[in-house]
């Protein structure tokens, strides 16, 4: 019984969203153009459950390149209409189109000459008539069996808001890097903003030895720098190869005599590399694909002199993973 109820609710709400497709017309295109031409901010307003949906729409638009904020209409009629300014575009939402608080701020919006995008389930309502553009968000029925709790209607409203936000995103040529700028604290922001140079070890913290150094002596460089690896460079600082603690375990299987070998004889040549300006996420991808835990860092593709090293632990600490 419970599963059947859930299926019924999901079907009603899915149908409500799909029904919006047939109602998309020139009004939607005009609404997008109106927002693209906005010289100020987009202001989304609505009351009650619609107001909660308005907040999500505003948040989505703001994070995808459209400066947007939510205005509570009840607070608006008690002074918060002062937030409005010339150049703003208003999106007012009310399923009935007759919500008192929303209707009471319409005269001020009109007096200020602000473009109004009305989203309602009734184009002939007070809000629908007042809008310069009307987006029809009507639904055949609510998922609530009593027909009282906003369910399918709020889902349809949210979907229409998402359609606007994504259309605006594409028209602006908004990219993942732009999105990350507004999400610096999230995992996505870290993956798209942090560069290798932000996390790499440099200077004296980079483990390096000359090729003639005996393996036993190179171990001091590996352990003292605590990165489980050392680079092998020539007298001019050009990277010739690397030796890791994993290599050491394999070498030890040959016996302790191997510790007397010059490291050049046991190092891995042609090591994987990364550039300082590359995203940290690219370093992670290289490490994962080659099952390694560190990369030496270079200034550019032509350089053979390492300027740093980045370790998997650095990426983990930074939240890139």
């Amino acid at each position: 019984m419970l599963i059947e109820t859930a299926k019924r609710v999901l079907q009603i709400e899915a149908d409500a969203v799909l029904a919006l497709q047939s109602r998309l017309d020139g009004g939607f295109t005009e609404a997008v153009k109106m927002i693209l031409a906005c010289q100020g901010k987009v202001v989304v307003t609505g009351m009650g459950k619609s107001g909660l949906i308005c907040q999500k729409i505003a948040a989505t638009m703001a994070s995808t390149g459209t400066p947007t904020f939510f205005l509570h209409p009840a607070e608006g009629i008690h002074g918060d209409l002062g937030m409005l300014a010339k150049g703003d575009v208003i999106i007012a939402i009310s399923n009935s189109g007759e919500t008192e608080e929303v209707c009471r701020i319409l005269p001020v919006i009109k007096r200020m000459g602000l473009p109004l995008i009305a989203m309602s389930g009734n184009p002939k309502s007070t809000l629908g008539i007042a809008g310069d553009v009307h987006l029809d968000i009507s639904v055949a029925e609510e998922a609530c069996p009593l027909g009282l709790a906003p369910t399918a209607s709020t889902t349809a409203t949210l979907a229409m808001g998402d359609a606007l936000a994504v259309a605006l995103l594409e028209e602006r040529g908004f990219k993942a890097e732009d999105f990350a700028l507004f999400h610096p604290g999230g995992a996505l922001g870290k993956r798209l903003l942090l560069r290798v140079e932000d996390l790499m070890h440099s200077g004296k913290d980079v483990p390096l030895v000359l090729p003639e150094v005996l393996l036993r002596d190179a171990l001091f460089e590996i352990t003292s720098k605590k990165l489980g690896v050392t680079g092998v460079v020539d007298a001019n600082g050009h990277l010739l190869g690397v030796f890791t603690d994993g290599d050491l375990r394999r070498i030890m299987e040959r016996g302790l005599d191997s510790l007397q070998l010059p490291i050049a004889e046991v190092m891995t040549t042609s090591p994987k590399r990364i550039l300082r300006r590359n995203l940290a996420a690219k370093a992670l991808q290289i490490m994962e694909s080659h099952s390694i835990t560190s990369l030496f860092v270079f200034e550019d593709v032509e350089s053979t002199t390492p300027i740093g090293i980045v370790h998997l632990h650095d990426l983990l600490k930074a939240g890139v993973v």
Side-chain angles (χ1 to χ4, degrees), residues 7-21:
K7 288 182 177 179
R8 178 183 60 80
V9 170
L10 293 174
Q11 188 61 59
I12 291 173
E13 299 208 1
D15 291 343
V17 172
L18 289 175
L20 295 177
Q21 293 181 334

Side-chain angles (χ1 to χ4, degrees), residues 93-300:
I93 299 176
S94 166
N95 186 46
S96 68
E98 300 294 345
T99 302
E100 179 183 358
E101 293 84 353
V102 173
C103 291
R104 288 183 65 181
I105 66 174
L106 296 179
V108 177
I109 293 170
K110 289 298 183 181
R111 194 173 304 125
M112 295 180 68
L114 305 180
L116 174 62
I117 299 170
M119 290 175 60
S120 78
N122 182 4
K124 296 182 179 180
S125 63
T126 301
L127 176 59
I129 294 171
D132 297 296
V133 172
H134 180 261
L135 301 180
D136 187 351
I137 53 171
S138 61
V139 298
E141 61 177 321
E142 296 285 8
C144 169
L146 302 176
L148 299 175
T151 44
S153 58
T154 47
T155 300
T157 303
L158 180 59
M160 183 66 80
D162 285 343
L164 276 175
V166 173
L168 289 164
L169 176 154
E170 291 185 350
E171 286 298 304
R172 295 185 194 281
F174 198 78
K175 298 179 175 62
E177 291 82 358
D178 302 312
F179 187 84
L181 287 174
F182 302 125
H183 299 75
L188 176 63
K190 290 183 173 66
R191 289 198 300 271
L192 295 177
L193 292 178
L194 281 177
R195 299 189 181 274
V196 171
E197 62 185 356
D198 299 322
L199 303 175
M200 71 180 188
H201 303 265
S202 58
K204 294 181 179 180
D205 293 329
V206 182
L208 297 171
V209 297
L210 295 171
E212 61 269 19
V213 170
L214 298 181
L215 177 53
R216 68 180 184 186
D217 298 321
L219 295 182
F220 291 106
E221 184 73 359
I222 295 175
T223 55
S224 65
K225 301 299 172 63
K226 300 179 181 179
L227 294 174
V229 64
T230 185
V232 182
V233 295
D234 63 20
N236 295 315
H238 303 302
L239 188 68
L240 304 175
V242 297
F243 188 85
T244 70
D245 51 9
D247 294 326
L248 175 61
R249 286 190 291 273
R250 288 184 286 274
I251 289 295
M252 290 297 290
E253 293 176 2
R254 303 182 191 174
L256 293 176
D257 290 344
S258 299
L259 295 177
Q260 305 301 320
L261 294 173
I263 196 167
E265 294 186 20
V266 292
M267 70 182 183
T268 299
T269 57
S270 303
K272 303 304 175 187
R273 46 187 283 151
I274 192 79
L275 304 185
R276 70 182 303 162
R277 293 292 296 165
N278 286 154
L279 291 175
K282 182 175 182 179
L284 175 63
Q285 185 253 327
I286 294 174
M287 290 180 192
E288 289 180 334
S289 62
H290 295 283
S291 299
I292 56 179
T293 58
S294 59
L295 290 168
F296 280 90
V297 183
F298 296 82
E299 184 66 43
D300 53 52

Side-chain angles (χ1 to χ4, degrees), residues 81-92:
L81 287 176
M83 296 178 180
L84 304 182
K86 292 290 184 182
D88 290 345
V89 171
I90 312 300
I91 301 177

